[in-house]
Each structure stands twice: as C-alpha cells, then as structure tokens.
Amino acid sequence: MSVIRTCLNLFGGDTVIVRCSNTFDIHMSDSTPELPTTPEVVQNNSISISAEDEVYFTVPYTGEWNLTINAKNDTPEHSISYFPA
C-alpha cells in the first residue's frame, strides 16, 4: 500500500478530481480546528471516499485542506486537480 499526501488551498464549491491507477481511499480534512481551540479538543471537518480509477467531489467551504490517498498497490500512478467554483 502507498500513501500520498498533499495540502491544497481551496474555495468552497471547487470540484476536486483525484485519479489513481487502481482502488484507493481518500481522506481530506481541513487544517483549521473548530472552537474551542484547547489542545484537548480539536475537531476537524473531513471527507472520506473509497473509489476506483477516479473520483470527483465538491469542497464544502474555503480553507486549507489536507488530502491523503491510500492506494492499494505499491506504485500507483495518480493525479490530483480541481475545477474552480
């Protein structure tokens, strides 16, 4: 299994396109904690998707998003792009 990580600065309504050469899982979470901001309580908003070949999804709001792809093989071909809102 391969893990691919990146950080994207996206606007609400942007459509993210992830392509991978096989079955994969995506986890995308915002990097801004919700209130309260004490170290014990940090809640991130997140999106999790399982897919094969490619997936399209819409970003719910503007912010910096951490994207992780868990590919089911050791050398996946992949691409990450987006259409602006």
Side-chain angles (χ1 to χ4, degrees), residues 12-35:
D14 287 353
T15 300
V16 176
I17 304 108
V18 178
R19 293 182 176 96
C20 195
S21 59
N22 59 343
T23 304
F24 59 97
D25 298 321
I26 298 172
H27 182 77
M28 195 163 123
S29 62
D30 69 348
S31 59
T32 308
E34 293 180 1
L35 294 175

Side-chain angles (χ1 to χ4, degrees), residues 16-64:
V16 176
I17 304 108
V18 178
R19 293 182 176 96
C20 195
S21 59
N22 59 343
T23 304
F24 59 97
D25 298 321
I26 298 172
H27 182 77
M28 195 163 123
S29 62
D30 69 348
S31 59
T32 308
E34 293 180 1
L35 294 175
T37 57
T38 61
E40 299 81 31
V41 181
V42 176
Q43 299 174 344
N44 287 349
N45 294 309
S46 64
I47 299 168
S48 293
I49 301 171
S50 293
E52 187 172 337
D53 296 328
E54 70 181 4
V55 66
Y56 294 72
F57 57 94
T58 303
V59 176
Y61 58 87
T62 301
E64 190 171 288

